[in-house]
Amino acid sequence: MAPSIRLSPAARSLFDEPLAIAVQGLGPRQQVTLRTSLRDETGQLFQASAHYQAGDDGELDLARCPALPGGSFSGLEPMGLLWALQPQKPFWRLVKRDVQSPFLLQMEVFEGHGERRGRLLAQAQHERAFLRDGVRRVPVREGRIRATLFLPPGNGPFPGIIDLYGTGGGLPEYRACLLANYGFAVLALAFYSYEDLPKEMKEFHLEYFEEAVNYMLQHTQVKGPGIGLLGHSKGGDLCISMASFLKGITATALINGSVANVGAVLRYKDITIPPLGVNPKRIKVSKSGIADIIDALNNPLEGPDRQSFIPLEKAECCFLFIVGQDDHNWKSEFYAVEGSKRLQAHGKEKPEIVCYPGAGHYIEPPFFPMCAASMHLLFGKPVMWGGEPKAHCEAQIDAWQQIQAFFHKHLTGKPSGTSSKL
């Protein structure tokens, strides 16, 4: 019997779902190298490889067989060949631009563990998709809103969420559509550097975000009476500002967000919140040219920078802070703790804070490979995001469950039916 790769699901799975990988038909205790490859939509290549030894029966099941030292990872890591994918081009982050097409994963099995590749023994392809069958993708161009709405299969109405990313701008849809697969109506909202929206992060007007909230509240497929907000990085402090000043928000989840307004002036009616001050002298640059910006921002508890602290005590919603304790973009844990103190000092409910040691800044949906460093649009140079790959991967899996459970609880009143498959 010739060696072959056995995958479950066989041909296609959702990107955030586990994939079972096994090789059959090898010789007893045969040594092999497994390699995965994936190209993003710009053609950039991501690869991972691991050394294995088959069992006495010639079977190799990654759920039972640990990877040996010398590859991208070692130990018992059934999904290591996915989370350990690394770009061949430095400072490149894996993102999905067109969620309607899957990523194509190539798998190969080579003979031996040598520096030079041994003979190719088996290969397979697998599609990692973003949209579950029946999820509808609806581009939204109403008034000033530039967004994409994802609606789950079925009649609805569904609990509604607005999803915001950070300083990268544009309209990332992949987290929103993956979340819609679990029964939420999710609006991926662009707020700058997209179509006719402002090109730069100079100032933001909360009225734009209010328009998006009202769009969701009035949508026939969105279950009221309130909606949820999900924001990462700069999207996090925008979500806190929305929750603090706008009506109709029931639950706000932040992934490595800030409780101070960062990067641009924020205006709403007659209110102006200045951005937190930055001191470029506190940026450390390594010999390899990568900047560590964790100390660049001023403390929002001191001096004039206190004006940048968002008055989250005005919010009428529940909060969830997801924190990577090795976030090098800014001090996410400090912000979460100070946000919690501020809420409790004003008699508000204590927020949920979930901390992950070894997780960096970009806590993405499960099985996105950790991005250790990439270009920062505001600083114009590569910066380190922090994180340790295995711990970061585990954080992404757990955070994804925490976020869904939080929104199920507060937007539907029911506990989440999703339990971690791992």
Side-chain angles (χ1 to χ4, degrees), residues 310-361:
I310 302 158
L312 75 169
E313 67 276 5
K314 294 181 188 291
E316 297 294 333
C317 71
C318 301
F319 285 100
L320 166 66
F321 288 87
I322 299 282
V323 171
Q325 289 180 300
D326 193 35
D327 183 355
H328 276 258
N329 181 67
W330 54 29
K331 296 173 181 173
S332 301
E333 187 174 9
F334 167 76
Y335 294 146
V337 169
E338 290 306 321
S340 180
K341 284 183 195 166
R342 171 76 71 103
L343 286 166
Q344 291 177 83
H346 287 80
K348 293 295 173 85
E349 190 181 326
K350 186 179 180 180
E352 290 179 57
I353 302 177
V354 185
C355 291
Y356 297 102
H361 185 63

Side-chain angles (χ1 to χ4, degrees), residues 26-59:
L26 296 169
R29 306 191 71 73
Q30 183 173 357
Q31 292 195 332
V32 290
T33 299
L34 270 60
R35 182 174 73 178
T36 44
S37 308
L38 178 155
R39 284 193 187 275
D40 71 8
E41 288 131 314
T42 67
Q44 291 299 332
L45 180 65
F46 290 75
Q47 283 189 325
S49 65
H51 298 327
Y52 284 98
Q53 183 170 308
D56 292 332
D57 55 0
E59 285 268 326

Side-chain angles (χ1 to χ4, degrees), residues 1-5 23-27 30 109 121-123:
M1 183 168 112
S4 63
I5 299 171
V23 184
Q24 53 200 21
L26 296 169
Q30 183 173 357
V109 182
L121 301 175
Q123 56 185 330

Side-chain angles (χ1 to χ4, degrees), residues 93-160:
R93 188 164 74 87
L94 184 66
V95 293
K96 189 75 179 88
R97 288 169 170 81
D98 175 13
V99 297
Q100 297 174 97
S101 68
F103 273 138
L104 191 61
L105 192 68
Q106 304 271 4
M107 297 205 181
E108 297 159 303
V109 182
F110 298 98
E111 209 167 43
H113 293 165
E115 280 294 302
R116 294 179 57 197
R117 292 263 167 253
R119 189 165 55 96
L120 179 66
L121 301 175
Q123 56 185 330
Q125 285 193 336
H126 185 84
E127 290 184 345
R128 294 287 275 171
F130 285 77
L131 285 174
R132 199 186 285 285
D133 288 346
V135 172
R136 288 159 288 163
R137 179 184 175 275
V138 185
V140 179
R141 302 291 181 274
E142 292 209 9
R144 289 177 298 179
I145 303 169
R146 301 294 173 260
T148 305
L149 178 65
F150 292 93
L151 294 168
N155 296 326
F158 308 99

